[in-house]
Amino acid sequence: MTLTRDQVMDKVVALTKRRGFIYPSSEIYGGLSGFYDYGPYGMTLKRAIRDLWWRHMVELRDDVVGLESTLMMPSAVWEASGHLTNFVDPLRQCLGECKKRWRADQVTGEKCPECGGPLDDARMFNLMFKTYVGPLEDRASEVYLRPETAQGMFVDFKNVINSTRVRVPFGIAQQGKAFRNEITPGNFVFRVREFELMEMEYFVRPQQDDEWFAYWRNERVRWYTEVLGIQPSRLRFYDHPTESLSHYSKQTTDIEYEFPFGWGELEGIADRTDYDLAVHQERSKQDLTYLDPETNERYLPWVIEPAVSVERIFITLLLDAYDEDVVNNEPRVVMRLHPNVAPVQVAVVPLSKKEELIRVAKEIVQMLRGQFRVEYDQTGGHIGRRYRRQDEIGTPFCITVDFDTLNDRAVTIRHRDSTEQERVPVDALGARLAEVLKGPP
Ligand code: GAP
């Protein structure tokens, strides 16, 4: 079935609410713009994304270590990093009826796109959320919720090299919440105000930045296509022109995805040079140089940084996976999620509510639970209806326990994409599923 990309967005938004992936934050009080809660399947999908990133960026490598730094950091950090001055968007407010606020670079002309009223002059708006630590609300107690995790890696750089055996080139990776007071959150969870960043600062010898920049561009695209199963034809590189680079960057490439609203940034890969270590060294008056044991030289390493949010990957995976087809003359909605990320990898479905079938089905759930994300699905209704529900969640395999199972100790594996069914002995089920799921190493 051919769907327009706009239709896909509307359908994915409706499906994610209906099937328990995403809810607006504090919905019973009217919601909070730019904030979302994740329901049972949504948080499982997010966790799968996070785990796969960590597995491939840290655990499967011997040159990257992890870090967890705080969400609140003192203003001295953001002053040094340049965020207090440079992490700003130009803001214009409607002076007419609607009083809506716009990012100046997203409106053309002098009229409000909503009500046609006049717009005020652009002024700079800092995107960081500020709060205070302790009982006094004065300058000295000002702190900011981090808009990126990266600064944690820079301010802890000396601690990491002094307490571990890392040697340049090496990376420090971190996953965790980041906060940005976006002027125009939107496109569902594409741009939100609270999100989870996954960033890695890869420290290299000065002048070796170009080769590592090229390496990480390719490596990250490989991860999206091979591990997450995103369609390669919907990904492309976008190299930022010099005038649009962030204040710390020498070169930045975005990995873009073809969203229903156009090509948009999925992940950014930036060459941050030694900008951050240099400014922190200067402001903190601490020596942040690295003594290279191979060359005996002392220098500030340069940094290549791949950075992406869980939410951007989440919306990308859902849009990429959404499909409609016809099965047995009936239309079907199916999420063709890669088994690596599917919130439920295997659903075990007894054909009826007969006790003998339920007992075997529950045994199978117990048997598979240690290896896969398994759901037991005994909700009433025709088996076809239960398959459709699992199709919408994106479950790649359903195991059906039927009356023959009681005689032949075999079950049916129903494949989501082809809807084909194969009969497998219960004893061989784990091995067969491992084969068809081809999970990450
Ligand atoms: N440390 C570099 C950095 O923060 P960025 O391009 O501003 O760079 C990195 O953000 C990534 O974070 C983006 O590529 C995108 O995946 C994600 N991201 C940025 N702003 C976001 C927002 N408001 N909502 C969801 N994800 C966001």
Side-chain angles (χ1 to χ4, degrees):
M1 210 170 284
T2 319
L3 286 161
T4 69
R5 303 286 285 145
D6 272 356
Q7 286 173 319
V8 170
M9 187 68 161
D10 291 346
K11 291 189 177 211
V12 163
V13 171
L15 184 147
T16 53
K17 175 93 193 286
R18 184 168 77 244
R19 291 298 181 198
F21 283 78
I22 298 193
Y23 318 117
S25 164
S26 311
E27 193 179 15
I28 59 168
Y29 290 101
L32 184 60
S33 167
F35 294 84
Y36 287 90
D37 294 342
Y38 290 81
Y41 294 122
M43 61 80 54
T44 310
L45 174 54
K46 280 183 83 177
R47 187 165 287 205
I49 295 168
R50 230 184 275 137
D51 289 350
L52 285 166
W53 189 91
W54 197 258
R55 184 115 186 94
H56 287 258
M57 294 296 270
V58 183
E59 291 173 352
L60 291 176
R61 306 183 61 99
D62 51 20
D63 57 350
V64 180
V65 293
L67 181 77
E68 243 181 71
S69 61
T70 56
L71 308 194
M72 288 188 196
M73 294 171 95
S75 48
V77 170
W78 308 111
E79 233 169 80
S81 69
H83 282 79
L84 274 179
T85 319
N86 299 314
F87 200 61
V88 288
D89 272 343
L91 166 76
R92 299 191 74 178
Q93 177 153 15
C94 169
L95 301 173
E97 214 164 289
C98 76
K99 303 280 183 282
K100 234 178 144 169
R101 297 187 181 93
W102 302 93
R103 251 174 63 178
D105 54 347
Q106 289 175 349
V107 287
T108 41
E110 292 303 309
K111 297 255 178 273
C112 170
E114 183 96 350
C115 71
L119 292 170
D120 70 359
D121 290 338
R123 64 201 136 101
M124 287 304 178
F125 171 75
N126 196 295
L127 301 187
M128 286 194 295
F129 285 99
K130 179 163 72 176
T131 186
Y132 301 90
V133 168
L136 292 180
E137 294 197 0
D138 58 12
R139 281 280 338 241
S141 56
E142 271 174 20
V143 295
Y144 291 87
L145 285 172
R146 61 185 185 189
E148 63 170 13
T149 66
Q151 295 307 319
M153 275 79 103
F154 299 126
V155 298
D156 274 333
F157 175 72
K158 204 76 189 182
N159 281 332
V160 173
I161 54 174
N162 286 342
S163 59
T164 68
R165 287 170 301 152
V166 290
R167 295 276 180 272
V168 167
F170 75 94
I172 307 179
Q174 175 160 209
Q175 300 179 321
K177 290 275 183 168
F179 302 84
R180 296 185 188 180
N181 201 357
E182 299 282 0
I183 299 170
T184 47
N187 283 327
F188 202 30
V189 296
F190 178 84
R191 181 166 286 108
V192 282
R193 290 177 164 141
E194 172 179 331
F195 54 98
E196 226 172 318
L197 266 177
M198 305 194 286
E199 298 189 292
M200 201 267 290
E201 309 306 314
Y202 198 75
F203 298 92
V204 304
R205 292 198 173 116
Q207 318 318 329
Q208 291 192 347
D209 59 322
D210 284 341
E211 82 191 60
W212 282 108
F213 187 69
Y215 168 84
W216 280 109
R217 279 167 45 124
N218 293 334
E219 178 55 22
R220 296 301 301 147
V221 168
R222 187 193 68 76
W223 185 74
Y224 284 116
T225 53
E226 288 179 17
V227 181
L228 302 193
I230 294 176
Q231 297 175 50
S233 62
R234 292 201 179 139
L235 291 175
R236 74 175 187 192
F237 287 126
Y238 170 73
D239 299 323
H240 281 250
T242 317
E243 61 276 14
S244 79
L245 291 173
S246 305
H247 61 278
Y248 50 72
S249 173
K250 170 187 151 185
Q251 51 187 332
T252 296
T253 295
D254 291 343
I255 299 174
E256 291 191 329
Y257 179 78
E258 193 179 14
F259 291 99
F261 44 87
W263 288 93
E265 174 181 351
L266 170 58
E267 164 159 345
I269 299 162
D271 180 343
R272 292 182 80 127
T273 69
D274 62 355
Y275 177 89
D276 300 272
L277 288 179
V279 292
H280 285 304
Q281 172 164 273
E282 191 194 322
R283 294 292 180 110
S284 68
K285 311 263 183 290
Q286 306 285 316
D287 176 11
L288 299 184
T289 54
Y290 168 78
L291 177 61
D292 195 318
E294 273 181 41
T295 60
N296 226 14
E297 275 175 284
R298 197 168 260 292
Y299 55 83
L300 288 175
W302 281 38
V303 172
I304 306 301
E305 174 199 69
V308 63
S309 69
V310 177
E311 287 74 3
R312 285 270 165 104
I313 299 180
F314 184 96
I315 179 74
T316 302
L317 286 176
L318 294 176
L319 290 166
D320 207 53
Y322 187 91
D323 198 11
E324 292 179 2
D325 62 5
V326 175
V327 172
N328 298 334
N329 293 324
E330 278 187 32
R332 151 179 103 138
V333 170
V334 54
M335 281 292 200
R336 300 193 191 277
L337 288 169
H338 192 287
N340 285 350
V341 292
V344 178
Q345 293 173 310
V346 181
V348 180
V349 192
L351 189 66
S352 89
K353 285 185 178 164
K354 286 266 171 356
E355 215 176 289
E356 312 92 278
L357 295 192
I358 290 174
R359 204 180 51 245
V360 180
K362 287 192 170 169
E363 270 170 31
I364 291 174
V365 169
Q366 275 315 105
M367 182 179 89
L368 299 177
R369 203 161 246 166
Q371 234 181 320
F372 312 105
R373 289 186 288 274
V374 182
E375 180 173 276
Y376 173 65
D377 188 350
Q378 196 200 303
T379 46
H382 187 260
I383 189 83
R385 284 244 308 274
R386 282 182 278 165
Y387 286 155
R388 296 301 153 86
R389 184 175 160 272
Q390 294 296 339
D391 287 340
E392 285 202 4
I393 295 164
T395 307
F397 304 103
C398 288
I399 309 298
T400 313
V401 178
D402 55 28
F403 290 100
D404 289 341
T405 308
L406 302 177
N407 301 319
D408 64 3
R409 283 288 291 172
V411 287
T412 302
I413 301 180
R414 185 253 189 193
H415 294 242
R416 173 197 69 199
D417 292 337
S418 61
T419 72
E420 269 167 23
Q421 311 210 351
E422 64 174 308
R423 196 84 184 154
V424 178
V426 171
D427 292 342
L429 193 55
R432 177 64 186 140
L433 284 171
E435 191 186 348
V436 284
L437 273 154
K438 284 197 199 77

